[in-house]
Amino acid sequence: MSWICGWAFVVGNITITLAVNFGTTLFLAACINVFESEPGVGIFAAEPWQIYLIFFAITLLCNAVAALGNRWLPYLDTFAIFWTFAGLICIVVCVLAIAKNGRHDAAYVFGEFDPSNSGWPAGWSFCVGLLHAAYATSSTGMIISMCEEVQQPATQVPKAMVATIVLNTIAGLIFLIPLVFVMPDQAELAALVSAQPTPVIIKSAIGSSGGTIALLLPLLVLALFCGIGCTTASSRCTWAFARDGAIPGSKWWKQVNVKLDVPLNAMMMIMVVELVLGLIYFGSSAAFNAFSGVGVICLTLSYACPILVNLITGRKQVTAGNFYLGKLGWFCNVVAICWSALALPLFCMPTAIPVVPDYMNYASVVFFAFFVVATAWYFIWGKTNYRGPPTHEDAVLEARRASVISHQEKVQGCPVAVSSPPSPPYPEATAQFGNIVAAFTGSIDKNRSEDCLTLNIWSKDTPDKSNLVIVYFHGGRYSTSTSNTPFYNGQYLANSKDIIVVALNFRINVFGFSGAPITAQNVGLLDQRLAVQRIHNNIRARPGFSSPANPPAAWHSITGVSHTSMTQPTRCEDRPAAVIQPSALVSYFQPTPDGVTVFNDYKSRPAHLSEMTQPTLLGQTHNEAAYYKIPAFRQSTTLPASQWQDFSAASFTCPPAFAARARTSFDIPTWRFRYFGDWDNRQLYGPSAGNGNEEGSGAYHWADMEMVLGASEDVSGVVRSDEEVEMERVMMGAWGAFARNPGARIGGEGVEEV
């Protein structure tokens, strides 16, 4: 069923995109012909080859914008909303106010039905006419294609789909009803060679070719916006299905262009398919009906498949959803299946009879061609290999976890939505700002794959006999970052203290923390657990390492722990349970409480600490929020210093302070520190007004770990001072001392026992 659903969705996306671009082509030709060389004769011949060349150019334009302007698409979408309503108001006001040839009465607008122009019986004529309404609404489901690029998709995507239907319904009625009031004779419109009545209706009402083209311009631009949006969505769904191995040549189509951050190969493949299918127009002037028809058929089929499965299984899969509708959901599902059963054969029908080759609806032919390709590929490859989306299969999950590899030179990163330095430049940014941010976010990584469970291992060039290992789990709020950055170069620490340093990659974002109710939860955390076990089982084979006496559960982790402050600048007990965080800092995907790896009752669980004995090292920088002001700035978010202080307290001070007190109540050795270092070569920005930056970046988030790993010159490109090198030596020593004997005092200024 997933094979049928996936292929139908991909084909539907491609053909709907084709229909949008081809429809824009025909509409443009009709708009040009509002200018006439003589009454009833437009200035543009609109020969098939001319139409195809225009279609070719529009398709290239939409693909170019979608590929090269990916980062600007959200702004384009926002602009399109205002553009739509502005154009709509202009058209409605002008056609109703001028109405050069008069207006129909309300009885005609809301009660007239004339099926004589189609040749079909009245009832069937009405049904065939639903094609264009279904065409306009069926693409709403294409929003699903963008799930992996949306924050909180489980709630935001359904909201977007429903809001789109409501908005389109309201805007469509506001647009269509005034046009029907001024509409010319229906037989005249049905006889149009262009099959594009809108330009003729508006010109009939306005009476001026210049005025008509001015009112049609907003619709033309909106059609291009629609083509760009559909191109983007179709490329994403094709990439996702290729990632599952369900499309011939998947190894090419599943590639993502890291420079453009788009699935360029899939996009180009789709463009070629559309251009080839556009050649149908040379054989039938009704090709648009074929494209829109097969698009509606395939998308409707793809929507019907999960609905049908949902009904057959008693709707059990959706009971835990955010928008469970109960009995109303049953009714909606049944209606949807009934509509789908009608739509599939209906949209293969020609729009008028008697049927001649030029006006035949070739939707069934296009649909059958795709069906043959999908069926053949299923028996060639899918029947043996395809098991549905791989993230839903426990066996595949285990196989991927088992693919953890140890290596020293090859460094790989997980697929994430990487960040980039702000544009415009951040206020008072230092010369090294761009280097530090790029390294911190992992945006310099060019090697990304979902199969990213890798270990990066460093040891001393001439190791002594040691059994000391430090394992680093990178941060990134479970949605970004990677160990494939200069930040995690463990060679300096390894050489300095004869320590084997391991940094690992694990699945993050939607791959590691999807939150989907029917899948295994928090697989990114399971990746971490498997990596530790892998290290324990295999690290002894590394030169200079003696076999560890303790199992992994007894190892001491000095990273991946929460940060806290030795001094408490605020009383955490007086703070609300949750502090509102800047929206720019909310991660797309987070761990889901499952009672196994993550719990939702941590404050009631301190008693479980009695079973633990591992000493803990906790710490924080003095100005944790300084780094987070950068992504907030990119989202045009400016906050007062007090709110940034609340953010730091809620995220980095209070929760781990609770954890530290709980550990000490069970006599678990606990160490805490606060790092104040503010070095010239590590500064992100200087003092500036606004956004709480009066003190500059200071000791921002993760600045303490730079000192421990000693890779600041690799990151910033700026030479360290002698004092900075000495401080690195002290902090490396503190970490090494804790790792070697965590029960003893670490020593060193600013570090004391709780």
Side-chain angles (χ1 to χ4, degrees):
M1 181 64 78
S2 64
W3 183 273
I4 296 173
C5 181
W7 267 96
F9 190 60
V10 170
V11 173
N13 272 259
I14 294 174
T15 50
I16 282 291
T17 304
L18 169 59
V20 168
N21 290 338
F22 207 89
T24 302
T25 300
L26 298 177
F27 184 67
L28 174 60
C31 290
I32 295 173
N33 279 331
V34 299
F35 297 96
E36 299 176 338
S37 57
E38 57 182 271
V41 180
I43 62 173
F44 183 50
E47 297 291 342
W49 66 271
Q50 294 173 316
I51 294 296
Y52 184 80
L53 287 180
I54 296 176
F55 161 70
F56 192 98
I58 289 176
T59 301
L60 287 181
L61 174 63
C62 291
N63 278 271
V65 174
L68 304 178
N70 183 56
R71 62 179 298 187
W72 304 110
L73 292 183
Y75 301 103
L76 193 64
D77 291 339
T78 302
F79 173 75
I81 296 174
F82 295 99
W83 180 271
T84 299
F85 281 100
L88 181 64
I89 293 171
C90 292
I91 293 173
V92 169
V93 171
C94 290
V95 298
L96 289 180
I98 299 175
K100 184 176 182 180
N101 294 319
R103 306 174 186 84
H104 298 293
D105 56 23
Y108 176 86
V109 173
F110 298 104
E112 175 69 14
F113 177 61
D114 179 11
S116 62
N117 294 299
S118 70
W120 290 107
W124 193 249
S125 178
F126 174 82
C127 290
V128 172
L130 292 175
L131 170 60
H132 293 291
Y135 161 69
T137 57
S138 63
S139 58
T140 302
M142 292 172 66
I143 295 173
I144 299 170
S145 302
M146 307 302 295
C147 275
E148 295 187 32
E149 300 175 45
V150 176
Q151 298 184 22
Q152 302 174 347
T155 56
Q156 296 307 313
V157 170
K159 289 179 181 178
M161 294 172 66
V162 173
T164 299
I165 291 293
V166 173
L167 183 63
N168 286 348
T169 299
I170 295 173
L173 290 175
I174 293 175
F175 174 70
L176 291 174
I177 291 175
L179 291 188
V180 177
F181 269 105
V182 298
M183 186 171 67
D185 181 65
Q186 294 182 44
E188 175 187 344
L189 298 177
L192 289 173
V193 176
S194 66
Q196 296 289 322
T198 303
V200 176
I201 295 174
I202 294 179
K203 183 176 182 180
S204 173
I206 300 300
S208 163
S209 297
T212 300
I213 201 67
L215 292 178
L216 290 172
L217 183 61
L219 299 181
L220 282 169
V221 175
L222 182 61
L224 291 175
F225 288 160
C226 185
I228 294 168
C230 289
T231 298
T232 303
S234 61
S235 68
R236 297 324 192 256
C237 86
T238 303
W239 165 79
F241 205 41
R243 187 181 59 192
D244 298 345
I247 300 177
S250 291
K251 66 179 181 180
W252 295 298
W253 318 134
K254 69 179 181 181
Q255 298 297 319
V256 175
N257 185 292
V258 295
K259 183 176 182 179
L260 299 177
D261 199 24
V262 298
L264 186 63
N265 292 357
M267 188 180 293
M268 294 300 98
M269 183 267 286
I270 292 170
M271 182 181 71
V272 172
V273 171
E274 292 171 359
L275 294 176
V276 171
L277 289 177
L279 296 173
I280 294 177
Y281 186 73
F282 287 100
S284 171
S285 58
F288 171 75
N289 288 335
F291 305 146
S292 57
V294 75
V296 172
I297 290 170
C298 290
L299 288 179
T300 301
L301 178 61
S302 71
Y303 304 153
C305 286
I307 294 175
L308 181 60
V309 171
N310 195 28
L311 284 174
I312 293 175
T313 57
R315 288 174 49 83
K316 295 178 181 179
Q317 292 90 345
V318 297
T319 54
N322 293 286
F323 304 104
Y324 181 61
L325 300 180
K327 293 182 179 180
L328 178 60
W330 281 93
F331 173 77
C332 294
N333 285 170
V334 171
V335 171
I337 292 298
C338 293
W339 163 251
S340 300
L342 172 65
L344 295 181
L346 176 64
F347 297 139
C348 291
M349 299 293 176
T351 56
I353 54 175
V355 180
V356 295
D358 283 349
Y359 296 100
M360 173 60 188
N361 186 349
Y362 290 97
S364 57
V365 178
V366 178
F367 176 76
F368 180 74
F370 278 110
F371 178 81
V372 169
V373 173
T375 303
W377 186 241
Y378 177 77
F379 285 103
I380 294 172
W381 184 89
K383 186 176 181 179
T384 304
N385 299 282
Y386 184 69
R387 295 293 181 270
T391 54
H392 294 180
E393 298 294 327
D394 291 340
V396 176
L397 287 176
E398 289 304 320
R400 287 182 177 178
R401 295 191 190 108
S403 69
V404 178
I405 59 173
S406 300
H407 67 292
Q408 182 172 4
E409 296 181 356
K410 179 185 176 184
V411 183
Q412 186 170 334
C414 288
V416 297
V418 296
S419 303
S420 58
S423 178
Y426 195 84
E428 302 299 326
T430 60
Q432 63 267 19
F433 175 92
N435 292 338
I436 296 175
V437 172
F440 191 85
T441 59
S443 59
I444 60 174
D445 177 19
K446 302 304 181 185
N447 184 9
R448 297 189 181 277
S449 166
E450 185 182 352
D451 296 322
C452 59
L453 312 187
T454 56
L455 303 178
N456 311 315
I457 303 174
W458 295 269
S459 60
K460 192 173 182 180
D461 295 333
T462 55
D464 301 325
K465 202 69 174 178
S466 171
N467 62 355
L468 184 59
V469 180
I470 290 183
V471 182
Y472 282 90
F473 303 88
H474 71 73
R477 306 178 77 83
Y478 304 103
S479 287
T480 61
S481 195
T482 172
S483 67
N484 183 8
T485 80
F487 269 107
Y488 285 96
N489 184 351
Q491 193 63 57
Y492 301 108
L493 178 59
N495 285 338
S496 174
K497 300 303 174 184
D498 192 20
I499 297 172
I500 295 178
V501 180
V502 182
L504 59 94
N505 286 302
F506 54 92
R507 278 173 293 177
I508 55 179
N509 213 287
V510 67
F511 301 105
F513 303 93
S514 70
I518 62 174
T519 65
Q521 299 298 328
N522 309 319
V523 295
L525 298 181
L526 298 180
D527 292 345
Q528 295 181 17
R529 177 63 179 80
L530 183 73
V532 172
Q533 184 68 57
R534 177 87 174 191
I535 296 168
H536 178 264
N537 293 342
N538 295 279
I539 199 68
R540 68 189 64 188
R542 193 165 187 85
F545 186 82
S546 60
S547 299
N550 299 320
W555 290 15
H556 310 290
S557 171
I558 63 172
T559 61
V561 298
S562 301
H563 289 67
T564 187
S565 168
M566 182 176 64
T567 58
Q568 289 296 318
T570 180
R571 292 184 59 191
C572 293
E573 294 82 356
D574 297 335
R575 293 197 166 273
V579 176
I580 297 177
Q581 297 189 14
S583 60
L585 310 182
V586 177
S587 300
Y588 298 0
F589 300 96
Q590 290 285 308
T592 301
D594 59 357
V596 178
T597 57
V598 178
F599 304 89
N600 55 14
D601 59 343
Y602 283 104
K603 282 200 171 184
S604 63
R605 298 181 66 85
H608 293 272
L609 291 171
S610 62
E611 304 171 5
M612 302 175 60
T613 60
Q614 296 93 339
T616 305
L617 175 62
L618 304 170
Q620 75 173 107
T621 64
H622 182 61
N623 195 10
E624 292 279 358
Y627 174 79
Y628 291 95
K629 295 174 183 179
I630 299 170
F633 176 80
R634 296 186 69 224
Q635 300 293 329
S636 301
T637 299
T638 301
L639 303 175
S642 60
Q643 190 164 348
W644 283 117
Q645 291 169 2
D646 287 343
F647 166 70
S648 289
S651 300
F652 299 101
T653 301
C654 294
F658 171 82
R661 287 195 298 270
R663 281 170 168 77
T664 56
S665 68
F666 288 96
D667 296 324
I668 299 174
T670 303
W671 305 90
R672 298 166 62 190
F673 72 89
R674 188 181 186 94
Y675 177 73
F676 292 84
D678 184 9
W679 310 96
D680 291 342
N681 70 318
R682 304 187 189 203
Q683 288 181 344
L684 289 170
Y685 50 82
S688 63
N691 209 23
N693 287 342
E694 289 75 11
E695 298 180 357
S697 60
Y700 50 85
H701 179 64
W702 218 82
D704 49 349
M705 290 297 98
E706 288 186 276
M707 302 298 292
V708 174
L709 291 174
S712 64
E713 285 189 19
D714 297 341
V715 173
S716 68
V718 181
V719 177
R720 298 167 296 170
S721 65
D722 294 339
E723 293 82 1
E724 185 179 353
V725 173
E726 175 61 20
M727 188 62 188
E728 285 181 356
R729 187 191 64 79
V730 171
M731 292 191 68
M732 286 181 180
W735 253 248
F738 176 82
R740 292 182 186 280
N741 189 4
R745 293 181 60 85
I746 299 177
E749 184 178 356
V751 182
E752 63 182 53
E753 189 173 6
V754 174

